[in-house]
């Protein structure tokens, strides 16, 4: 809709101006304003993820740009890092690799400075996501390995499963059929232990695809019936 396109253009212009003028972060003593910006950034980040999985891509990107614009005023914080990484991943998917590298580089540097392994793992996953679509396999493998190592340190089952799902699809797109089943089984085992139903559903679907690639259609159907 025209209204959505205009909103996206307005938010994009705001972000461009912020990149050029670099507004000062919200003062630490302005607790209420900082808290409001933090919560708004967090909500917009989450809305972008929901719309992405609902295939509302324009709306998702609009939320992503808005989250990055609000996050710019927060300085070093988790919400700002996630907003930058999600924006970078979206720009990469839209075939703007230079812009993607600009925002993703900032996200990586901030996550490292904050010494938060779970946050760094999330940034690695978002970085590998857009590179997977460009078939940059060396980067994808390195980022997913790093993500899962960080997840082990942080005890983050959810991000580990997200990385493993990406690993499955990268192998699938490369035609590495021999590795599909063990990777899918590892994802299923971890997803079941995590107690996250959505991750278990994804794991069963990729597991079904793995056994289908091995010529066992009946077993694949049985797995999909469980889903």
């Amino acid at each position: 809709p025209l209204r959505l396109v205009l909103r996206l253009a307005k938010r994009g212009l705001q972000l461009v101006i912020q990149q050029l003028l670099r507004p000062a972060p919200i003062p630490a003593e302005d607790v209420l304003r900082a808290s409001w910006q933090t919560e708004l950034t967090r909500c917009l980040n989450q809305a972008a993820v929901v719309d992405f999985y609902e295939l509302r891509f324009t709306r998702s990107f609009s939320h992503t740009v808005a989250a990055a614009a609000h996050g710019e005023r927060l300085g070093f914080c988790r919400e700002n890092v996630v907003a930058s990484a999600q924006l970078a991943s979206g720009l990469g998917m839209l075939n703007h690799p230079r812009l993607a590298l600009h925002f993703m580089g900032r996200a990586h540097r901030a996550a490292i400075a904050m010494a938060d392994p779970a946050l760094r793992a999330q940034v690695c996953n978002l970085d590998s996501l857009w590179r997977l679509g460009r078939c940059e396999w060396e980067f994808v493998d390195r980022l997913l390995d790093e993500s899962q190592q960080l997840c082990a340190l942080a005890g983050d089952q959810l991000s580990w499963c997200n990385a493993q799902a990406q690993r499955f699809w990268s192998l699938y797109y490369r035609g590495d059929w021999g590795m599909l089943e063990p990777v899918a089984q590892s994802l299923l085992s971890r997803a079941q232990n995590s107690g996250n139903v959505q991750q278990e559903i994804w794991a069963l679907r990729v597991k079904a695809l793995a056994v289908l690639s091995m010529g066992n259609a009946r077993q694949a159907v049985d797995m999909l019936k469980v889903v």
Side-chain angles (χ1 to χ4, degrees):
L2 178 61
R3 184 174 169 184
L4 177 58
V5 173
L6 291 175
R7 186 189 308 155
L8 175 57
K10 179 182 177 181
R11 289 172 170 176
L13 180 61
Q14 179 186 357
L15 185 61
V16 169
I17 292 172
Q18 287 178 335
Q19 297 304 300
L20 295 174
L21 301 181
R22 286 290 178 196
I26 298 172
E29 59 271 16
D30 195 346
V31 177
L32 182 60
R33 188 177 169 203
S35 175
W36 170 250
Q37 286 287 346
T38 300
E39 189 63 24
L40 194 55
T41 304
R42 183 185 299 118
C43 290
L44 287 165
N45 280 332
Q46 187 61 34
V49 173
V50 172
D51 279 328
F52 179 82
Y53 285 115
E54 292 291 333
L55 307 183
R56 297 189 291 261
F57 297 123
T58 306
R59 190 180 300 276
S60 175
F61 192 64
S62 176
H63 289 321
T64 301
V65 173
H70 285 285
E72 289 277 317
R73 303 300 305 275
L74 294 173
F76 274 179
C77 71
R78 181 181 183 85
E79 288 73 19
N80 188 17
V81 173
V82 172
S84 292
Q86 287 191 169
L87 176 61
S89 191
L91 288 168
M93 293 176 190
L94 291 171
N95 199 28
H96 296 291
R98 290 183 63 183
L99 290 173
L101 290 172
H102 167 72
F103 286 102
M104 193 63 77
R106 290 175 52 186
H108 275 294
R109 288 191 295 272
I112 291 171
M114 293 170 65
D116 183 339
L119 180 59
R120 286 178 60 192
Q122 189 174 357
V123 172
C124 287
N125 283 348
L126 287 165
D127 197 356
S128 66
L129 188 60
W130 72 277
R131 293 179 186 274
L132 195 155
R134 295 172 61 86
C135 304
E136 297 179 3
W137 306 128
E138 182 179 351
F139 282 103
V140 169
D141 290 339
R142 179 175 60 79
L143 287 164
L144 294 179
D145 287 343
E146 183 179 355
S147 171
Q148 291 184 320
Q149 290 168 8
L150 291 164
C151 287
L153 289 174
D156 187 346
Q157 300 270 29
L158 182 61
S159 290
W160 192 97
C161 289
N162 286 338
Q164 190 74 350
Q166 286 193 56
R167 192 182 299 280
F168 175 89
W169 286 112
S170 72
L171 294 170
Y172 182 84
Y173 294 143
R174 281 181 269 188
D176 194 346
W177 310 115
M179 288 298 297
L180 292 183
E181 202 281 331
V183 169
Q185 182 57 49
S186 177
L187 172 59
L188 180 58
S189 299
R190 186 66 66 97
Q192 288 173 332
N193 289 333
S194 72
N196 187 294
V197 176
Q198 181 63 66
Q199 289 291 344
E200 189 173 350
I201 290 171
W202 285 348
L204 284 167
R205 286 178 175 171
V206 299
K207 175 78 171 176
L209 187 58
V211 298
L212 182 62
S213 70
M214 298 165 61
N216 197 337
R218 184 175 295 277
Q219 187 180 355
V221 170
D222 289 341
M223 288 182 177
L224 291 175
K225 285 180 179 178
V226 176
V227 175

